[in-house]
Structures are given as C-alpha cells and as structure tokens.
Amino acid sequence: MKSDVKSTLATIPSFYASVLQALSTQGRVINALVLRETKTRYGEHKLGFVWAFIEPTIMVTVFVAFFSMMQQDSQGAMPLVTFMITGILPFTIFREVMVQMQGAIAQNRTLLGFPQVTTFDVIVARGLLEFSVLSVVFVVMLFMVHILGYRVEVEDPLMLLWICVLMALFGTGIGFFFASITPLIPSVRQITTVALGRPLFLSSGLFYTAESLPGFIRDWLLYNPLLHMIEFGRSAFYYEFESTYASWSYVYSWVVCSLALGMTTHQAMRRRAIVGI
Amino acid sequence: MIKLSNISKRYRTSAGVRLVLDDVSMTFPSGKSIGILGLNGAGKSTLIRIIGDAEPADAGRVSCDGRISWPLGYAGGFQSSLTARENARFVARIYGEDPHYIEDFTYEFSELGSYFDVPLRSYSAGMRSRFAFSVSLACNFDYYLVDEALETGDARYKEKFRRAFEERRANASVILVSHNEQTVRRNCDMAAILHEGSLQLYDSIKEAMQNYQILQTRTH
C-alpha cells in the first residue's frame, strides 16, 4: 500500500513533464504552421498582405455607397460608415475563420505525414491566422475612417474585442465540424458557400438593426445568433446605441453548442478524415 | 530499438474489409539497416507509416527509444507551393531544431543550387527526393524510415547518399520498405518479408531473398 503511494507520487512529476513536453511540441507545430500559412496565403502575390484589406474595404464601400444613394446617411444616430464596418468586420471574422478551417485537413494532407502535426493543429493554425489578420484589418479600418474625419469613439473596446472573439469561437466550432467531414464528403463545400454564406450574410444585421425591422421578420431573424452578436458589437461601439433585443445567454448557448459539435465531430472523424474513408 | 506490439490495421474498401496487418509483433534492433520486402499492395507503406506515427493503427502499439524520421519517399510531407528553403525551415521548426543550421546543411547537401528558392512544384521527382533526404539527414534522426526511394537521382548522387547513411549507421538505423530485392540487398543488413498481413524477420539476407523469390514465382 505504502509503496503504491510512493510510486504514484513518483509518477506525478514525470506526468507533468510529459504534459509540458507535449504542450511545447504542439506550440512549436502550431507556430510553424501559422508561419507557413502566412507564406502560402499572403506570400505568393505581389500585393501580399494588402489583399487582406481589399475585400472588406470593397464591401464596406459598396454598402456605404448604396445606402447613401438611398438618401440614408445614418442608422438612427449611427453614422453609416462606422455602422457598416461594425457589421461587416465581425461577420467576416466568423465567416473567414469557418471557411478557412473547412479546407484545413483536405489542403494540408501532405503535412499530416509528419507525426507531430495533427489535424487539430492544422485547423487551429488557420483559425488563429485568420482571426489575427482580420483583427488587424478591423483596427486599421477604424483608424483610416478616423483619419478621413469620421467620429470613431469606442464606448467599450473590451466588449467589442470579446464579441470578435465570440464570433471567431462560433466560427471555430462550425469550422471544426466542416473540416472533419469535408474530406469525406467534398460536396459539403457547396453547402457552406451557397446555403450558409448568403442567407447568413443577409440575416445577421450587417446593414440594419433588429429594432428597425418589422416585428414578424425580427422574431424570425432573432433565431440567428450572429444578429445578437452584431447587436452587442454595436452596443459596445456606440454611446448612442444599446440593443434591447440581443441576449447574452442565447449567444453563449450557440457558441458552446457549436464548439461541442465541432470538437465531437472532429474527435469521431479525424482518423477517417486523414485516410479518406 | 523499435518495438511493434500486436499491430493490426484494416481498410474498408469497396470490395469489403481488407486486413493489411494482422497482429504483427517485432523488434527492430538498433544500428542495423532492415529491409522489409513485400509484393505490391502487401501493406508496406501502411506499415512504415504506422511505425512513423503518420497513421494510427487499429490496435497495438509502437514503442521506440529514439527519434524516428517521417516516412521518406517520393511524395514526402512537403508543401509544393513553398520553396525548398521554406520547407526546410518548417521541418526545423516542428522538430525544434535550429532553422539556420537545417537550412544551410540542406542547401549544401542537396546540391540544388538556385533551385533551392523555387517552389517544389517545379521540381522533378529526383530533385524532390534529393531534397527530402537532405532535410532528413540534417535532422539527425536515430531511425530513418525509407519508402522505396533510395534509387533516385544519378549514380554519383546515389553514392553520396549511401556514404552519408553509412556514416550514420554507427548511431542510426534505417528501416526500408521495397518490392525490389536489389534495393534491399544493396542497402540492408537484415531483411523481413511482409505477406498476407504477417511479418517474418530473417537473420540472413540470403534466406530472405530465397523466400521472397519463391513468393514472387508463386503469385505470378
């Protein structure tokens, strides 16, 4: 009995050592993968990193132009330019994290031949890169419109950051789910681009607030957790706006469920996802 | 040494479940080059990928007292959109080696010259394997897993590799799988045969060759 305790005690330090060792390997691998992804995504074009800014900038410009032509310079007390930025950028974080993660296993299959590179690592590396790049784009865009003379005063920067993190985590859950099943069922890709892309783009409150909607449409759209998150994002950004419809518990339930779904599917499918059925 | 204990692996194909490795147990001694012979489709690549932990086995475990390389072969684990230099750095980072050292060694040893900064997709098969072997030599593994590939490149370069591997033989072992008896005869000290899911190790190359020849004629 006594020797049992002794031997258990003796294994504790080696247990921690092996956990630390595994964590440091994983850190090294994810670091190497992020650097490699950066190279493949932004290193091949002459404009490189500028590409990351172009798409969101075009999207914001188009929507601002469209709504100004409709003689609408602001949404309530919120100026149009920052209104679009605070809608489009958090949504882009969600969508790009999801889309980039989706292709992670299928497009990195050769790297999985290295024993220490796991499917988890390649998926997470893509999400991390996407989240950090788009966060930088978000900040730079706000800075640019400030230079152009628009008022940029963020009421609660930490809450805005938290909303971006929640967007990324929500995208991570769904991204893990699709990353695990796409290698087995490639046609899933169409579902995410067509079925998920457009409807979510239109129903997440990118260019309207929940309050501005007619009641029966609002009731339906409030099932979409992204609308809640964007409402919270704008509440954090503007002193003048406080959403009366968004619910934290609704947002957290969706984020937790998506992560649970993603991780479970990944755990169940990863072996088959590597080998391909 | 590398120890395989009760390794099993099956694949589901359209023709039904196929048992590739059936309860394989074996110990590979250190400091020896071991060749594993098998007919096409015998499961050689699967076996070496399991030893290198690139693919999980259905049952059983692999234990090992040193660092094992990734399975070296034509395909390699490399990103074809990146240059040799970038791939070398990637390998250095995931193995926790000094990226500069790995980069310099690979550049010298692979003799790729200006191709070193060209994406791998424009490489020939020979150049690719030259690169793959150079990176793995740079990393100083205790065990090198080789999948069919030593026979690429011109004669002079092949000789250079053989010498480099022989120098390492004192503290490194090679496990090579091939369907070609010549490759095994030239590079290995011991040989094993993988056939119908079971692995048989022979002390002498000669005995293994005889059995392999019988196997080949029987199936032809």
Side-chain angles (χ1 to χ4, degrees), chain B residues 70 72-74 78 105-106 109-110 126-139 144-152 157 161 165:
Chain B
W70 64 91
L72 301 165
Y74 294 109
F78 300 108
F105 182 98
T106 312
F109 200 87
S110 62
M127 287 160 72
R128 257 170 188 266
S129 73
R130 235 152 83 179
F131 168 68
F133 278 100
S134 307
V135 183
S136 67
L137 280 178
C139 286
Y144 286 90
L145 305 180
V146 183
D147 189 352
E148 296 271 6
L150 275 172
E151 299 296 300
T152 51
Y157 202 76
F161 268 128
F165 268 115

PDB file of all heavy atoms in Angstrom, chain B residues 70 72-74 78 105-106 109-110 126-139 144-152 157 161 165:
ATOM      1  N   TRP B  70      10.179  11.061 -40.364  1.00  0.00           N
ATOM      2  CA  TRP B  70       8.925  10.823 -41.049  1.00  0.00           C
ATOM      3  C   TRP B  70       9.214   9.859 -42.196  1.00  0.00           C
ATOM      4  O   TRP B  70      10.376   9.706 -42.585  1.00  0.00           O
ATOM      5  CB  TRP B  70       8.344  12.143 -41.567  1.00  0.00           C
ATOM      6  CG  TRP B  70       9.184  12.811 -42.601  1.00  0.00           C
ATOM      7  CD1 TRP B  70       9.093  12.655 -43.941  1.00  0.00           C
ATOM      8  CD2 TRP B  70      10.264  13.719 -42.379  1.00  0.00           C
ATOM      9  NE1 TRP B  70      10.039  13.410 -44.581  1.00  0.00           N
ATOM     10  CE2 TRP B  70      10.772  14.081 -43.646  1.00  0.00           C
ATOM     11  CE3 TRP B  70      10.860  14.270 -41.236  1.00  0.00           C
ATOM     12  CZ2 TRP B  70      11.845  14.955 -43.798  1.00  0.00           C
ATOM     13  CZ3 TRP B  70      11.916  15.141 -41.411  1.00  0.00           C
ATOM     14  CH2 TRP B  70      12.397  15.471 -42.670  1.00  0.00           C
ATOM     15  N   LEU B  72      10.216   8.669 -45.446  1.00  0.00           N
ATOM     16  CA  LEU B  72      10.780   9.350 -46.611  1.00  0.00           C
ATOM     17  C   LEU B  72      10.380   8.631 -47.872  1.00  0.00           C
ATOM     18  O   LEU B  72      10.459   7.420 -47.948  1.00  0.00           O
ATOM     19  CB  LEU B  72      12.302   9.340 -46.528  1.00  0.00           C
ATOM     20  CG  LEU B  72      12.889   9.993 -45.297  1.00  0.00           C
ATOM     21  CD1 LEU B  72      14.333   9.606 -45.159  1.00  0.00           C
ATOM     22  CD2 LEU B  72      12.743  11.478 -45.400  1.00  0.00           C
ATOM     23  N   GLY B  73       9.946   9.377 -48.837  1.00  0.00           N
ATOM     24  CA  GLY B  73       9.569   8.751 -50.095  1.00  0.00           C
ATOM     25  C   GLY B  73       9.478   9.808 -51.171  1.00  0.00           C
ATOM     26  O   GLY B  73       9.883  10.940 -50.967  1.00  0.00           O
ATOM     27  N   TYR B  74       8.893   9.444 -52.279  1.00  0.00           N
ATOM     28  CA  TYR B  74       8.792  10.405 -53.373  1.00  0.00           C
ATOM     29  C   TYR B  74       7.933  11.600 -52.970  1.00  0.00           C
ATOM     30  O   TYR B  74       8.267  12.736 -53.201  1.00  0.00           O
ATOM     31  CB  TYR B  74       8.164   9.748 -54.599  1.00  0.00           C
ATOM     32  CG  TYR B  74       9.025   8.693 -55.185  1.00  0.00           C
ATOM     33  CD1 TYR B  74       8.682   7.350 -55.071  1.00  0.00           C
ATOM     34  CD2 TYR B  74      10.189   9.037 -55.857  1.00  0.00           C
ATOM     35  CE1 TYR B  74       9.475   6.368 -55.604  1.00  0.00           C
ATOM     36  CE2 TYR B  74      10.991   8.052 -56.390  1.00  0.00           C
ATOM     37  CZ  TYR B  74      10.637   6.720 -56.269  1.00  0.00           C
ATOM     38  OH  TYR B  74      11.421   5.754 -56.796  1.00  0.00           O
ATOM     39  N   PHE B  78       5.852  17.414 -47.969  1.00  0.00           N
ATOM     40  CA  PHE B  78       6.198  18.805 -48.240  1.00  0.00           C
ATOM     41  C   PHE B  78       5.134  19.545 -49.011  1.00  0.00           C
ATOM     42  O   PHE B  78       4.347  18.964 -49.741  1.00  0.00           O
ATOM     43  CB  PHE B  78       7.530  18.883 -48.968  1.00  0.00           C
ATOM     44  CG  PHE B  78       8.636  18.288 -48.181  1.00  0.00           C
ATOM     45  CD1 PHE B  78       9.189  17.082 -48.544  1.00  0.00           C
ATOM     46  CD2 PHE B  78       9.075  18.911 -47.031  1.00  0.00           C
ATOM     47  CE1 PHE B  78      10.194  16.515 -47.784  1.00  0.00           C
ATOM     48  CE2 PHE B  78      10.070  18.354 -46.261  1.00  0.00           C
ATOM     49  CZ  PHE B  78      10.625  17.159 -46.646  1.00  0.00           C
ATOM     50  N   PHE B 105      22.616  23.202 -44.053  1.00  0.00           N
ATOM     51  CA  PHE B 105      23.000  21.815 -44.329  1.00  0.00           C
ATOM     52  C   PHE B 105      22.269  21.296 -45.565  1.00  0.00           C
ATOM     53  O   PHE B 105      22.868  20.712 -46.461  1.00  0.00           O
ATOM     54  CB  PHE B 105      22.666  20.932 -43.118  1.00  0.00           C
ATOM     55  CG  PHE B 105      23.079  19.495 -43.298  1.00  0.00           C
ATOM     56  CD1 PHE B 105      24.261  19.033 -42.757  1.00  0.00           C
ATOM     57  CD2 PHE B 105      22.279  18.608 -44.029  1.00  0.00           C
ATOM     58  CE1 PHE B 105      24.642  17.715 -42.923  1.00  0.00           C
ATOM     59  CE2 PHE B 105      22.665  17.289 -44.201  1.00  0.00           C
ATOM     60  CZ  PHE B 105      23.850  16.848 -43.640  1.00  0.00           C
ATOM     61  N   THR B 106      20.946  21.549 -45.598  1.00  0.00           N
ATOM     62  CA  THR B 106      20.149  21.051 -46.717  1.00  0.00           C
ATOM     63  C   THR B 106      20.608  21.669 -48.022  1.00  0.00           C
ATOM     64  O   THR B 106      20.717  21.004 -49.049  1.00  0.00           O
ATOM     65  CB  THR B 106      18.655  21.364 -46.496  1.00  0.00           C
ATOM     66  OG1 THR B 106      18.313  20.976 -45.178  1.00  0.00           O
ATOM     67  CG2 THR B 106      17.782  20.624 -47.485  1.00  0.00           C
ATOM     68  N   PHE B 109      23.958  19.998 -48.960  1.00  0.00           N
ATOM     69  CA  PHE B 109      23.927  18.573 -49.247  1.00  0.00           C
ATOM     70  C   PHE B 109      23.072  18.232 -50.469  1.00  0.00           C
ATOM     71  O   PHE B 109      23.379  17.314 -51.209  1.00  0.00           O
ATOM     72  CB  PHE B 109      23.428  17.797 -48.019  1.00  0.00           C
ATOM     73  CG  PHE B 109      23.804  16.347 -48.064  1.00  0.00           C
ATOM     74  CD1 PHE B 109      25.023  15.924 -47.575  1.00  0.00           C
ATOM     75  CD2 PHE B 109      22.943  15.415 -48.619  1.00  0.00           C
ATOM     76  CE1 PHE B 109      25.386  14.601 -47.642  1.00  0.00           C
ATOM     77  CE2 PHE B 109      23.300  14.086 -48.683  1.00  0.00           C
ATOM     78  CZ  PHE B 109      24.525  13.682 -48.194  1.00  0.00           C
ATOM     79  N   SER B 110      22.000  18.992 -50.678  1.00  0.00           N
ATOM     80  CA  SER B 110      21.089  18.627 -51.763  1.00  0.00           C
ATOM     81  C   SER B 110      21.631  19.038 -53.133  1.00  0.00           C
ATOM     82  O   SER B 110      21.174  18.543 -54.156  1.00  0.00           O
ATOM     83  CB  SER B 110      19.721  19.275 -51.539  1.00  0.00           C
ATOM     84  OG  SER B 110      19.852  20.672 -51.550  1.00  0.00           O
ATOM     85  N   GLY B 126      13.319  13.295 -59.028  1.00  0.00           N
ATOM     86  CA  GLY B 126      14.659  13.098 -58.486  1.00  0.00           C
ATOM     87  C   GLY B 126      15.083  14.234 -57.565  1.00  0.00           C
ATOM     88  O   GLY B 126      15.635  14.011 -56.492  1.00  0.00           O
ATOM     89  N   MET B 127      14.796  15.465 -58.007  1.00  0.00           N
ATOM     90  CA  MET B 127      15.173  16.619 -57.190  1.00  0.00           C
ATOM     91  C   MET B 127      14.406  16.627 -55.877  1.00  0.00           C
ATOM     92  O   MET B 127      14.940  16.954 -54.827  1.00  0.00           O
ATOM     93  CB  MET B 127      14.886  17.912 -57.957  1.00  0.00           C
ATOM     94  CG  MET B 127      15.865  18.166 -59.074  1.00  0.00           C
ATOM     95  SD  MET B 127      15.175  19.323 -60.260  1.00  0.00           S
ATOM     96  CE  MET B 127      15.247  20.840 -59.339  1.00  0.00           C
ATOM     97  N   ARG B 128      13.117  16.267 -55.945  1.00  0.00           N
ATOM     98  CA  ARG B 128      12.298  16.213 -54.746  1.00  0.00           C
ATOM     99  C   ARG B 128      12.889  15.254 -53.718  1.00  0.00           C
ATOM    100  O   ARG B 128      12.994  15.579 -52.545  1.00  0.00           O
ATOM    101  CB  ARG B 128      10.896  15.713 -55.088  1.00  0.00           C
ATOM    102  CG  ARG B 128       9.875  16.783 -55.149  1.00  0.00           C
ATOM    103  CD  ARG B 128       8.609  16.187 -55.727  1.00  0.00           C
ATOM    104  NE  ARG B 128       7.646  17.241 -55.968  1.00  0.00           N
ATOM    105  CZ  ARG B 128       6.711  17.592 -55.095  1.00  0.00           C
ATOM    106  NH1 ARG B 128       6.600  16.963 -53.957  1.00  0.00           N
ATOM    107  NH2 ARG B 128       5.887  18.569 -55.373  1.00  0.00           N
ATOM    108  N   SER B 129      13.255  14.056 -54.187  1.00  0.00           N
ATOM    109  CA  SER B 129      13.729  13.091 -53.211  1.00  0.00           C
ATOM    110  C   SER B 129      15.116  13.487 -52.702  1.00  0.00           C
ATOM    111  O   SER B 129      15.454  13.235 -51.557  1.00  0.00           O
ATOM    112  CB  SER B 129      13.708  11.671 -53.778  1.00  0.00           C
ATOM    113  OG  SER B 129      14.730  11.499 -54.697  1.00  0.00           O
ATOM    114  N   ARG B 130      15.909  14.143 -53.563  1.00  0.00           N
ATOM    115  CA  ARG B 130      17.197  14.653 -53.110  1.00  0.00           C
ATOM    116  C   ARG B 130      16.982  15.630 -51.962  1.00  0.00           C
ATOM    117  O   ARG B 130      17.659  15.578 -50.943  1.00  0.00           O
ATOM    118  CB  ARG B 130      17.869  15.401 -54.257  1.00  0.00           C
ATOM    119  CG  ARG B 130      19.241  14.896 -54.556  1.00  0.00           C
ATOM    120  CD  ARG B 130      19.565  15.117 -55.988  1.00  0.00           C
ATOM    121  NE  ARG B 130      20.051  16.460 -56.231  1.00  0.00           N
ATOM    122  CZ  ARG B 130      20.428  16.890 -57.430  1.00  0.00           C
ATOM    123  NH1 ARG B 130      20.369  16.069 -58.465  1.00  0.00           N
ATOM    124  NH2 ARG B 130      20.855  18.106 -57.596  1.00  0.00           N
ATOM    125  N   PHE B 131      16.001  16.494 -52.141  1.00  0.00           N
ATOM    126  CA  PHE B 131      15.688  17.471 -51.097  1.00  0.00           C
ATOM    127  C   PHE B 131      15.213  16.775 -49.817  1.00  0.00           C
ATOM    128  O   PHE B 131      15.707  17.043 -48.728  1.00  0.00           O
ATOM    129  CB  PHE B 131      14.631  18.456 -51.596  1.00  0.00           C
ATOM    130  CG  PHE B 131      14.061  19.304 -50.505  1.00  0.00           C
ATOM    131  CD1 PHE B 131      14.855  20.250 -49.866  1.00  0.00           C
ATOM    132  CD2 PHE B 131      12.758  19.142 -50.082  1.00  0.00           C
ATOM    133  CE1 PHE B 131      14.357  21.022 -48.838  1.00  0.00           C
ATOM    134  CE2 PHE B 131      12.248  19.905 -49.050  1.00  0.00           C
ATOM    135  CZ  PHE B 131      13.049  20.848 -48.426  1.00  0.00           C
ATOM    136  N   ALA B 132      14.262  15.832 -49.999  1.00  0.00           N
ATOM    137  CA  ALA B 132      13.695  15.151 -48.826  1.00  0.00           C
ATOM    138  C   ALA B 132      14.777  14.449 -48.018  1.00  0.00           C
ATOM    139  O   ALA B 132      14.820  14.539 -46.791  1.00  0.00           O
ATOM    140  CB  ALA B 132      12.636  14.149 -49.269  1.00  0.00           C
ATOM    141  N   PHE B 133      15.698  13.761 -48.710  1.00  0.00           N
ATOM    142  CA  PHE B 133      16.736  13.040 -47.988  1.00  0.00           C
ATOM    143  C   PHE B 133      17.704  13.994 -47.309  1.00  0.00           C
ATOM    144  O   PHE B 133      18.164  13.740 -46.203  1.00  0.00           O
ATOM    145  CB  PHE B 133      17.489  12.109 -48.933  1.00  0.00           C
ATOM    146  CG  PHE B 133      16.755  10.837 -49.144  1.00  0.00           C
ATOM    147  CD1 PHE B 133      15.990  10.633 -50.272  1.00  0.00           C
ATOM    148  CD2 PHE B 133      16.809   9.842 -48.188  1.00  0.00           C
ATOM    149  CE1 PHE B 133      15.286   9.470 -50.448  1.00  0.00           C
ATOM    150  CE2 PHE B 133      16.109   8.672 -48.357  1.00  0.00           C
ATOM    151  CZ  PHE B 133      15.340   8.477 -49.496  1.00  0.00           C
ATOM    152  N   SER B 134      18.011  15.109 -47.967  1.00  0.00           N
ATOM    153  CA  SER B 134      18.950  16.060 -47.379  1.00  0.00           C
ATOM    154  C   SER B 134      18.382  16.651 -46.092  1.00  0.00           C
ATOM    155  O   SER B 134      19.090  16.756 -45.093  1.00  0.00           O
ATOM    156  CB  SER B 134      19.259  17.184 -48.361  1.00  0.00           C
ATOM    157  OG  SER B 134      19.673  16.649 -49.579  1.00  0.00           O
ATOM    158  N   VAL B 135      17.092  17.017 -46.116  1.00  0.00           N
ATOM    159  CA  VAL B 135      16.496  17.576 -44.894  1.00  0.00           C
ATOM    160  C   VAL B 135      16.531  16.550 -43.777  1.00  0.00           C
ATOM    161  O   VAL B 135      16.862  16.866 -42.640  1.00  0.00           O
ATOM    162  CB  VAL B 135      15.033  18.011 -45.122  1.00  0.00           C
ATOM    163  CG1 VAL B 135      14.471  18.637 -43.878  1.00  0.00           C
ATOM    164  CG2 VAL B 135      14.936  18.974 -46.253  1.00  0.00           C
ATOM    165  N   SER B 136      16.205  15.297 -44.117  1.00  0.00           N
ATOM    166  CA  SER B 136      16.143  14.304 -43.055  1.00  0.00           C
ATOM    167  C   SER B 136      17.534  14.013 -42.501  1.00  0.00           C
ATOM    168  O   SER B 136      17.695  13.768 -41.310  1.00  0.00           O
ATOM    169  CB  SER B 136      15.483  13.026 -43.554  1.00  0.00           C
ATOM    170  OG  SER B 136      16.302  12.413 -44.504  1.00  0.00           O
ATOM    171  N   LEU B 137      18.550  14.070 -43.362  1.00  0.00           N
ATOM    172  CA  LEU B 137      19.914  13.879 -42.865  1.00  0.00           C
ATOM    173  C   LEU B 137      20.296  15.030 -41.943  1.00  0.00           C
ATOM    174  O   LEU B 137      20.957  14.838 -40.926  1.00  0.00           O
ATOM    175  CB  LEU B 137      20.910  13.807 -44.021  1.00  0.00           C
ATOM    176  CG  LEU B 137      21.007  12.471 -44.733  1.00  0.00           C
ATOM    177  CD1 LEU B 137      22.005  12.567 -45.876  1.00  0.00           C
ATOM    178  CD2 LEU B 137      21.427  11.381 -43.767  1.00  0.00           C
ATOM    179  N   ALA B 138      19.847  16.230 -42.275  1.00  0.00           N
ATOM    180  CA  ALA B 138      20.168  17.410 -41.464  1.00  0.00           C
ATOM    181  C   ALA B 138      19.622  17.258 -40.052  1.00  0.00           C
ATOM    182  O   ALA B 138      20.198  17.763 -39.104  1.00  0.00           O
ATOM    183  CB  ALA B 138      19.607  18.663 -42.121  1.00  0.00           C
ATOM    184  N   CYS B 139      18.485  16.564 -39.926  1.00  0.00           N
ATOM    185  CA  CYS B 139      17.807  16.495 -38.628  1.00  0.00           C
ATOM    186  C   CYS B 139      18.417  15.493 -37.655  1.00  0.00           C
ATOM    187  O   CYS B 139      18.021  15.454 -36.495  1.00  0.00           O
ATOM    188  CB  CYS B 139      16.331  16.161 -38.813  1.00  0.00           C
ATOM    189  SG  CYS B 139      15.395  17.543 -39.433  1.00  0.00           S
ATOM    190  N   TYR B 144      15.782   6.092 -39.533  1.00  0.00           N
ATOM    191  CA  TYR B 144      15.294   6.650 -40.790  1.00  0.00           C
ATOM    192  C   TYR B 144      14.332   5.661 -41.433  1.00  0.00           C
ATOM    193  O   TYR B 144      14.668   4.491 -41.612  1.00  0.00           O
ATOM    194  CB  TYR B 144      16.457   6.929 -41.738  1.00  0.00           C
ATOM    195  CG  TYR B 144      17.261   8.131 -41.325  1.00  0.00           C
ATOM    196  CD1 TYR B 144      18.335   7.996 -40.465  1.00  0.00           C
ATOM    197  CD2 TYR B 144      16.924   9.394 -41.784  1.00  0.00           C
ATOM    198  CE1 TYR B 144      19.061   9.101 -40.064  1.00  0.00           C
ATOM    199  CE2 TYR B 144      17.638  10.507 -41.392  1.00  0.00           C
ATOM    200  CZ  TYR B 144      18.708  10.357 -40.530  1.00  0.00           C
ATOM    201  OH  TYR B 144      19.410  11.464 -40.132  1.00  0.00           O
ATOM    202  N   LEU B 145      13.149   6.148 -41.743  1.00  0.00           N
ATOM    203  CA  LEU B 145      12.170   5.290 -42.418  1.00  0.00           C
ATOM    204  C   LEU B 145      12.179   5.652 -43.895  1.00  0.00           C
ATOM    205  O   LEU B 145      12.021   6.813 -44.256  1.00  0.00           O
ATOM    206  CB  LEU B 145      10.772   5.532 -41.855  1.00  0.00           C
ATOM    207  CG  LEU B 145      10.621   5.364 -40.346  1.00  0.00           C
ATOM    208  CD1 LEU B 145       9.182   5.640 -39.938  1.00  0.00           C
ATOM    209  CD2 LEU B 145      11.032   3.968 -39.920  1.00  0.00           C
ATOM    210  N   VAL B 146      12.410   4.662 -44.730  1.00  0.00           N
ATOM    211  CA  VAL B 146      12.532   4.935 -46.156  1.00  0.00           C
ATOM    212  C   VAL B 146      11.502   4.120 -46.943  1.00  0.00           C
ATOM    213  O   VAL B 146      11.403   2.914 -46.759  1.00  0.00           O
ATOM    214  CB  VAL B 146      13.947   4.593 -46.663  1.00  0.00           C
ATOM    215  CG1 VAL B 146      14.076   4.950 -48.128  1.00  0.00           C
ATOM    216  CG2 VAL B 146      14.990   5.333 -45.852  1.00  0.00           C
ATOM    217  N   ASP B 147      10.747   4.814 -47.770  1.00  0.00           N
ATOM    218  CA  ASP B 147       9.721   4.135 -48.567  1.00  0.00           C
ATOM    219  C   ASP B 147      10.133   4.125 -50.033  1.00  0.00           C
ATOM    220  O   ASP B 147       9.846   5.060 -50.758  1.00  0.00           O
ATOM    221  CB  ASP B 147       8.384   4.870 -48.362  1.00  0.00           C
ATOM    222  CG  ASP B 147       7.212   4.113 -48.964  1.00  0.00           C
ATOM    223  OD1 ASP B 147       7.454   3.121 -49.664  1.00  0.00           O
ATOM    224  OD2 ASP B 147       6.074   4.535 -48.736  1.00  0.00           O
ATOM    225  N   GLU B 148      10.839   3.091 -50.427  1.00  0.00           N
ATOM    226  CA  GLU B 148      11.132   2.843 -51.855  1.00  0.00           C
ATOM    227  C   GLU B 148      12.063   3.826 -52.546  1.00  0.00           C
ATOM    228  O   GLU B 148      12.228   3.764 -53.734  1.00  0.00           O
ATOM    229  CB  GLU B 148       9.827   2.869 -52.687  1.00  0.00           C
ATOM    230  CG  GLU B 148       8.846   1.794 -52.363  1.00  0.00           C
ATOM    231  CD  GLU B 148       9.057   0.540 -53.170  1.00  0.00           C
ATOM    232  OE1 GLU B 148      10.056   0.482 -53.913  1.00  0.00           O
ATOM    233  OE2 GLU B 148       8.264  -0.395 -53.037  1.00  0.00           O
ATOM    234  N   ALA B 149      12.640   4.812 -51.844  1.00  0.00           N
ATOM    235  CA  ALA B 149      13.111   5.930 -52.645  1.00  0.00           C
ATOM    236  C   ALA B 149      14.606   6.054 -52.881  1.00  0.00           C
ATOM    237  O   ALA B 149      15.023   6.895 -53.652  1.00  0.00           O
ATOM    238  CB  ALA B 149      12.597   7.220 -52.055  1.00  0.00           C
ATOM    239  N   LEU B 150      15.435   5.217 -52.259  1.00  0.00           N
ATOM    240  CA  LEU B 150      16.878   5.445 -52.375  1.00  0.00           C
ATOM    241  C   LEU B 150      17.386   5.432 -53.806  1.00  0.00           C
ATOM    242  O   LEU B 150      18.466   5.914 -54.089  1.00  0.00           O
ATOM    243  CB  LEU B 150      17.639   4.381 -51.582  1.00  0.00           C
ATOM    244  CG  LEU B 150      17.816   4.678 -50.102  1.00  0.00           C
ATOM    245  CD1 LEU B 150      18.409   3.479 -49.408  1.00  0.00           C
ATOM    246  CD2 LEU B 150      18.707   5.885 -49.903  1.00  0.00           C
ATOM    247  N   GLU B 151      16.596   4.879 -54.686  1.00  0.00           N
ATOM    248  CA  GLU B 151      17.096   4.650 -56.042  1.00  0.00           C
ATOM    249  C   GLU B 151      16.859   5.805 -57.009  1.00  0.00           C
ATOM    250  O   GLU B 151      16.770   5.603 -58.200  1.00  0.00           O
ATOM    251  CB  GLU B 151      16.463   3.383 -56.607  1.00  0.00           C
ATOM    252  CG  GLU B 151      16.794   2.147 -55.810  1.00  0.00           C
ATOM    253  CD  GLU B 151      18.276   1.812 -55.828  1.00  0.00           C
ATOM    254  OE1 GLU B 151      18.797   1.583 -56.933  1.00  0.00           O
ATOM    255  OE2 GLU B 151      18.901   1.801 -54.771  1.00  0.00           O
ATOM    256  N   THR B 152      16.706   7.015 -56.508  1.00  0.00           N
ATOM    257  CA  THR B 152      16.520   8.120 -57.446  1.00  0.00           C
ATOM    258  C   THR B 152      17.800   8.938 -57.571  1.00  0.00           C
ATOM    259  O   THR B 152      18.703   8.809 -56.765  1.00  0.00           O
ATOM    260  CB  THR B 152      15.386   9.055 -56.991  1.00  0.00           C
ATOM    261  OG1 THR B 152      15.643   9.393 -55.634  1.00  0.00           O
ATOM    262  CG2 THR B 152      14.056   8.389 -57.131  1.00  0.00           C
ATOM    263  N   TYR B 157      25.194  10.854 -57.216  1.00  0.00           N
ATOM    264  CA  TYR B 157      24.451  11.334 -56.071  1.00  0.00           C
ATOM    265  C   TYR B 157      23.983  10.190 -55.176  1.00  0.00           C
ATOM    266  O   TYR B 157      23.994  10.276 -53.966  1.00  0.00           O
ATOM    267  CB  TYR B 157      23.260  12.174 -56.543  1.00  0.00           C
ATOM    268  CG  TYR B 157      22.825  13.094 -55.453  1.00  0.00           C
ATOM    269  CD1 TYR B 157      23.571  14.231 -55.167  1.00  0.00           C
ATOM    270  CD2 TYR B 157      21.739  12.791 -54.658  1.00  0.00           C
ATOM    271  CE1 TYR B 157      23.223  15.055 -54.133  1.00  0.00           C
ATOM    272  CE2 TYR B 157      21.384  13.617 -53.627  1.00  0.00           C
ATOM    273  CZ  TYR B 157      22.123  14.749 -53.368  1.00  0.00           C
ATOM    274  OH  TYR B 157      21.781  15.550 -52.338  1.00  0.00           O
ATOM    275  N   PHE B 161      24.657   9.592 -51.100  1.00  0.00           N
ATOM    276  CA  PHE B 161      23.679   9.258 -50.071  1.00  0.00           C
ATOM    277  C   PHE B 161      24.073   8.003 -49.320  1.00  0.00           C
ATOM    278  O   PHE B 161      24.007   7.940 -48.106  1.00  0.00           O
ATOM    279  CB  PHE B 161      22.298   9.043 -50.690  1.00  0.00           C
ATOM    280  CG  PHE B 161      21.493  10.282 -50.709  1.00  0.00           C
ATOM    281  CD1 PHE B 161      20.907  10.725 -51.872  1.00  0.00           C
ATOM    282  CD2 PHE B 161      21.338  11.024 -49.548  1.00  0.00           C
ATOM    283  CE1 PHE B 161      20.174  11.881 -51.886  1.00  0.00           C
ATOM    284  CE2 PHE B 161      20.595  12.183 -49.556  1.00  0.00           C
ATOM    285  CZ  PHE B 161      20.017  12.615 -50.734  1.00  0.00           C
ATOM    286  N   PHE B 165      24.597   7.752 -45.355  1.00  0.00           N
ATOM    287  CA  PHE B 165      23.838   6.841 -44.499  1.00  0.00           C
ATOM    288  C   PHE B 165      24.763   5.869 -43.777  1.00  0.00           C
ATOM    289  O   PHE B 165      24.556   5.554 -42.617  1.00  0.00           O
ATOM    290  CB  PHE B 165      22.799   6.062 -45.310  1.00  0.00           C
ATOM    291  CG  PHE B 165      21.469   6.737 -45.341  1.00  0.00           C
ATOM    292  CD1 PHE B 165      20.943   7.212 -46.530  1.00  0.00           C
ATOM    293  CD2 PHE B 165      20.749   6.930 -44.168  1.00  0.00           C
ATOM    294  CE1 PHE B 165      19.719   7.847 -46.555  1.00  0.00           C
ATOM    295  CE2 PHE B 165      19.527   7.563 -44.182  1.00  0.00           C
ATOM    296  CZ  PHE B 165      19.006   8.024 -45.384  1.00  0.00           C
TER     297      PHE B 165
END
